[in-house]
Amino acid sequence: MECKVLLLTFFIIISFNLSMAQMVPAMFVFGDSLVDVGNNNYLKLSIAKADLPYYGIDLPNQKANGRFTNGMNAADFLAEKLGLPTSPPYLSLVDKSNENNNVSFLNGVSFASGGARILGGKNNPLSQSIHLTQQLDYFSIVYKDLYKQLGSSGAKNHLSKSVFTFVIGSNDIFRYFESSDLQNKTTSLQYVDSMVLSIEAKLKRLYGFGARKFVIVGIGSIGCCPARRREIKNEECDEEINFWSDKYSKALISMLQELKSDLKDINYSYFDTYKALFDFVQRPAAYGFVEVKAACCGLGTLNAKIFCLPIAKYCSNRSDYVFFDKVHPTEAAHRIIVDRIFDGSLQYAFPMNVKQLVAI
């Protein structure tokens, strides 16, 4: 009898500690390949997949599983910080071959998709991605499921305490500077403004569903990625792309401040990825990095001619590198970035970090 009581007490303590560790009911992730945890694996026509070696080489089973890096990405690390399991890819839950009939969205779900853009126009079927508007459409389906499970007030309460994370925009910037048609139709400033307006509309749409806590991760200094450096003399950063990435980030901050003044009950944490990534480039040793220009995995100049495919060469000292392939960070870089997103100073995360956001 005494043994049973001790066991029961033990399980109560464990359950209590687990519930204390979980800081929010759920996390819903919207974004691109930086936080894709496998959605693109379910897009049959897509070639934008991380389902071949040497992606995932540092995961326990050393197998590629849809993450565009050598191990875990920012979505995994942020979920871990919040005491949640990684938000599963939405398409894995609704896939017809999924034998699990008890699909639950209660702890959150990820809609992030490699190649996704804020301004998702017509797409080449072979590089099929789930653009942001479609990601929001999928969330509306999830909302209906939560409404059925929890009722109207229950769903609103659940979502008001949950975290809605956005990591997207890099592909829009890359696309603009790779498309002469776009450049002929609209100026750089008009294009960046349209990106911000689109994000604002998406945040308002989610607000209508009951979302109140947003984590907005800005675009990094993407002109410094190996893919851009190999195109620039002396392998320097692409200053034009960096300029407009920074311009977008500043416009995004202004929009968020105005949105907060209009919708008093929303709260957000904005993370300055531009500054964080630029710090890596400028002071690599301070973060344990050795190589900031070349990718760990690839071929050609700076290992940036191709993505990390089976024919590529890859480094053995992956934690020394900022970039795993020609555009995506290593697991080591993802981890440091999320540490700052979660409880970083106002220098990077403002007007508060995620730890402060979830405490509200």
Side-chain angles (χ1 to χ4, degrees):
M1 180 69 181
E2 187 176 340
C3 183
K4 287 183 179 178
V5 171
L6 285 170
L7 276 172
L8 181 60
T9 304
F10 173 76
F11 282 120
I12 289 171
I13 292 171
I14 291 295
S15 298
F16 178 75
N17 285 336
L18 285 174
S19 64
M20 288 296 287
Q22 184 174 328
M23 302 177 78
V24 293
M27 179 169 72
F28 298 92
V29 182
F30 304 84
D32 55 29
S33 55
L34 292 172
V35 283
D36 188 352
V37 291
N39 271 312
N40 277 22
N41 286 355
Y42 294 87
L43 299 176
K44 293 179 181 177
L45 297 178
S46 179
I47 58 172
K49 295 180 181 179
D51 59 349
L52 293 170
Y54 298 96
Y55 291 109
I57 192 171
D58 291 317
L59 292 169
N61 62 4
Q62 296 186 312
K63 289 185 178 179
N65 62 6
R67 289 160 174 80
F68 291 78
T69 187
N70 55 304
M72 294 196 291
N73 67 24
D76 298 299
F77 290 128
L78 187 54
E80 184 178 78
K81 293 277 190 186
L82 294 171
L84 291 167
T86 295
S87 302
Y90 173 76
L91 295 184
S92 74
L93 299 179
V94 299
D95 185 63
K96 291 178 182 178
S97 64
N98 187 351
E99 296 177 359
N100 180 12
N101 294 321
N102 299 315
V103 171
S104 174
F105 301 114
L106 285 173
N107 286 137
V109 64
S110 172
F111 307 96
S113 169
R117 300 192 305 271
I118 296 167
L119 304 174
K122 290 183 179 179
N123 211 23
N124 182 332
L126 292 179
S127 59
Q128 184 187 10
S129 305
I130 311 165
H131 295 304
L132 191 55
T133 298
Q134 182 63 60
Q135 292 183 30
L136 268 287
D137 289 345
Y138 283 149
F139 177 79
S140 69
I141 297 171
V142 168
Y143 176 78
K144 290 175 184 175
D145 187 85
L146 293 173
Y147 183 92
K148 285 180 184 176
Q149 285 189 70
L150 305 173
S152 177
S153 62
K156 294 277 186 184
N157 183 57
H158 185 80
L159 294 174
S160 71
K161 296 174 181 176
S162 298
V163 166
F164 291 76
T165 300
F166 281 73
V167 184
I168 196 166
S170 300
N171 293 316
D172 294 86
I173 298 292
F174 282 139
R175 180 172 179 255
Y176 181 82
F177 286 100
E178 290 167 1
S179 169
S180 55
D181 281 349
L182 269 177
Q183 292 173 47
N184 289 332
K185 289 176 184 174
T186 182
T187 67
S188 305
L189 183 58
Q190 289 169 336
Y191 187 77
V192 162
D193 285 344
S194 64
M195 289 169 64
V196 174
L197 286 171
S198 184
I199 286 284
E200 181 181 18
K202 305 298 187 292
L203 296 179
K204 287 181 176 178
R205 186 177 174 191
L206 287 171
Y207 178 86
F209 285 117
R212 294 296 182 270
K213 296 184 179 185
F214 297 95
V215 177
I216 311 296
V217 179
I219 299 178
S221 44
I222 56 176
C224 294
C225 72
R228 297 312 307 165
R229 282 184 184 271
R230 77 182 295 266
E231 305 294 334
I232 303 297
K233 185 181 178 181
N234 298 326
E235 298 172 354
E236 296 295 327
C237 297
D238 186 324
E239 294 302 336
E240 186 176 29
I241 283 185
N242 274 353
F243 176 85
W244 288 105
S245 298
D246 188 44
K247 196 82 170 172
Y248 164 74
S249 297
K250 286 176 174 150
L252 188 60
I253 292 166
S254 296
M255 179 274 287
L256 289 169
Q257 290 170 336
E258 289 176 16
L259 190 64
K260 171 65 178 170
S261 66
D262 291 340
L263 305 174
K264 307 293 186 189
D265 56 341
I266 72 159
N267 288 288
Y268 68 89
S269 175
Y270 173 83
F271 183 73
D272 192 343
T273 318
Y274 188 95
K275 185 180 290 183
L277 189 57
F278 207 65
D279 277 355
F280 291 172
V281 171
Q282 299 245 302
R283 301 185 300 124
Y287 303 97
F289 296 120
V290 176
E291 178 56 69
V292 298
K293 289 187 175 183
C296 165
C297 184
L299 285 177
T301 305
L302 299 180
N303 268 352
K305 187 176 182 180
I306 64 169
F307 281 101
C308 188
L309 300 171
I311 60 170
K313 296 177 181 178
Y314 65 94
C315 65
S316 58
N317 51 335
R318 292 176 282 282
S319 61
D320 289 348
Y321 283 68
V322 172
F323 291 96
F324 181 62
D325 69 15
K326 64 181 185 172
V327 293
H328 300 107
T330 55
E331 180 185 80
H334 276 289
R335 187 187 293 276
I336 295 171
I337 286 170
V338 170
D339 284 345
R340 289 191 165 169
I341 290 172
F342 186 71
D343 59 3
S345 68
L346 284 170
Q347 181 184 1
Y348 299 100
F350 50 91
M352 66 190 84
N353 58 40
V354 171
K355 188 176 182 181
Q356 294 164 331
L357 175 69
V358 299
I360 293 174

